[in-house]
């Protein structure tokens, strides 16, 4: 399975690889930001606890949706 992923990565063009790496970094950044909002109690924001949970979850979901749409876009570019 891992060899299949590596082979698909090598088949991508330079632009496709660059966009894949950028989208992975973007996904990791959104996950870190959402996790900070969810789990770091010492983070002092002017939000109530329930709003901080909602914002953290929405940031995590937004990062996941952006990653999924970028993967679909990259696969469409490879098919052309």
């Amino acid at each position: 399975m891992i060899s299949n992923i590596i082979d698909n990565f090598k088949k991508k063009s330079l632009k496709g690889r660059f966009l894949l790496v950028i989208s992975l970094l973007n996904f990791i950044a959104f996950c870190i930001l959402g996790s900070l909002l969810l789990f770091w109690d010492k983070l002092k924001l002017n939000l109530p606890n329930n709003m901080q949970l909602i914002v953290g979850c929405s940031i995590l979901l937004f990062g996941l949706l952006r990653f999924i749409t970028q993967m679909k876009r990259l696969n469409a570019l490879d098919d052309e």
Side-chain angles (χ1 to χ4, degrees):
M1 181 175 163
I2 294 175
S3 62
N4 189 18
I5 293 171
I6 292 171
D7 288 339
N8 286 341
F9 182 75
K10 288 181 181 178
K11 289 179 187 177
K12 291 186 183 299
S13 65
L14 184 61
K15 179 183 175 182
R17 283 187 240 164
F18 177 73
L19 290 175
L20 178 65
V21 170
I22 293 297
S23 65
L24 282 173
L25 290 175
N26 193 5
F27 174 66
I28 290 169
F30 277 116
C31 285
I32 289 172
L33 180 63
S35 298
L36 284 176
L37 285 173
L38 286 175
F39 301 116
W40 196 16
D41 293 334
K42 294 182 181 180
L43 185 65
K44 298 294 182 192
L45 295 175
N46 291 330
L47 292 173
N49 283 341
N50 58 352
M51 287 299 293
Q52 193 168 348
L53 290 174
I54 291 170
V55 171
C57 289
S58 62
I59 288 174
L60 284 173
L61 287 175
F62 177 71
L64 182 65
L65 288 174
R66 278 190 52 111
F67 183 71
I68 291 170
T69 56
Q70 187 68 22
M71 290 285 92
K72 287 182 182 179
R73 189 176 301 144
L74 284 174
N75 289 335
L77 284 176
D78 288 341
D79 291 341
E80 292 178 355

